[in-house]
Amino acid sequence: AYEIYMRDWSSDVCSSDLQLREKQKLRRIYGLMECQFRGVFERAERQTGITGEVLLRLLECRLDNVAYRLGFGASRKEARQLVSHGHLTMNGRKINVPGAQVKVGDIISVRERSRKLVSIQTALESVDGRGIPEWLELDKTAFKGMVRALPSKDQISLPVNEQMVVELYSR
């Protein structure tokens, strides 16, 4: 009986350990603190649909991530800093909140005075190699991009099992 108990206990630890790893991986990819990530998860839980897919969609639709996907920043961290420092506009208005959610039809652009920044120029040159998701549209000459649609699960290619994250928070 003791061996069976120990075996079951160790398998529980392994599954929760894997769930924790998946959550941490997702947090690190998007550069969020635990409190921010939990807030996004709670919003995903309240929305209709499959929680894991809604979670990924909410994370992908953060302004800092969209700026990265459009190629305004070479990394999510750099794109987040560009947003925080007020180098980007959303629908013509300056915005400095990296966690702002974008919607279909939103236009994200680099402010006129920020277009000369070397980091933005370099990131835009290298975006061709990385590629832009089909749910976004980029006009490199005008330094602006548009959200054509919300991303589907198929369009978000991350090495993460989001269902394990949902299971971890559902305990």
Side-chain angles (χ1 to χ4, degrees):
Y2 179 72
E3 285 179 14
I4 293 170
Y5 172 75
M6 288 305 290
R7 203 171 326 139
D8 290 344
W9 180 79
S10 64
S11 67
D12 286 345
V13 170
C14 289
S15 69
S16 67
D17 195 35
L18 288 173
Q19 293 167 347
L20 181 62
R21 280 193 193 138
E22 290 297 306
K23 180 200 65 148
Q24 298 293 63
K25 191 186 317 179
L26 198 55
R27 266 190 50 220
R28 285 189 190 106
I29 287 171
Y30 288 100
L32 300 178
M33 302 299 284
E34 178 62 34
C35 190
Q36 293 169 308
F37 189 82
R38 182 172 281 283
V40 173
F41 179 81
E42 287 170 359
R43 273 214 335 270
E45 253 184 340
R46 287 192 300 267
Q47 291 186 12
T48 57
I50 300 168
T51 306
E53 291 180 17
V54 174
L55 173 67
L56 288 179
R57 189 176 320 115
L58 286 174
L59 290 168
E60 276 294 304
C61 288
R62 288 172 51 93
L63 181 58
D64 56 354
N65 184 68
V66 172
Y68 164 71
R69 294 282 189 194
L70 286 169
F72 297 147
S75 65
R76 284 185 179 89
K77 196 171 189 175
E78 186 178 301
R80 181 182 183 93
Q81 190 172 24
L82 289 171
V83 174
S84 296
H85 290 208
H87 293 292
L88 301 181
T89 63
M90 185 161 76
N91 299 325
R93 297 177 69 192
K94 184 177 124 176
I95 187 162
N96 61 359
V97 180
Q101 289 289 310
V102 298
K103 299 180 292 298
V104 176
D106 281 350
I107 296 172
I108 292 89
S109 57
V110 178
R111 293 180 69 191
E112 190 69 45
R113 65 178 203 180
S114 304
R115 294 179 182 182
K116 296 176 188 77
L117 289 175
V118 176
S119 62
I120 293 175
Q121 301 264 337
T122 310
L124 273 173
E125 288 169 10
S126 67
V127 76
D128 294 331
R130 187 172 65 217
I132 296 170
E134 55 267 15
W135 56 278
L136 294 172
E137 184 179 306
L138 175 67
D139 181 0
K140 282 171 91 169
T141 57
F143 289 87
K144 70 178 183 180
M146 188 174 104
V147 181
R148 292 195 302 178
L150 293 179
S152 66
K153 167 80 169 91
D154 306 336
Q155 295 169 326
I156 303 169
S157 57
L158 292 173
V160 175
N161 182 350
E162 74 281 354
Q163 192 55 41
M164 289 188 128
V165 178
V166 174
E167 290 170 11
L168 177 69
Y169 279 118
S170 298
R171 289 195 283 153

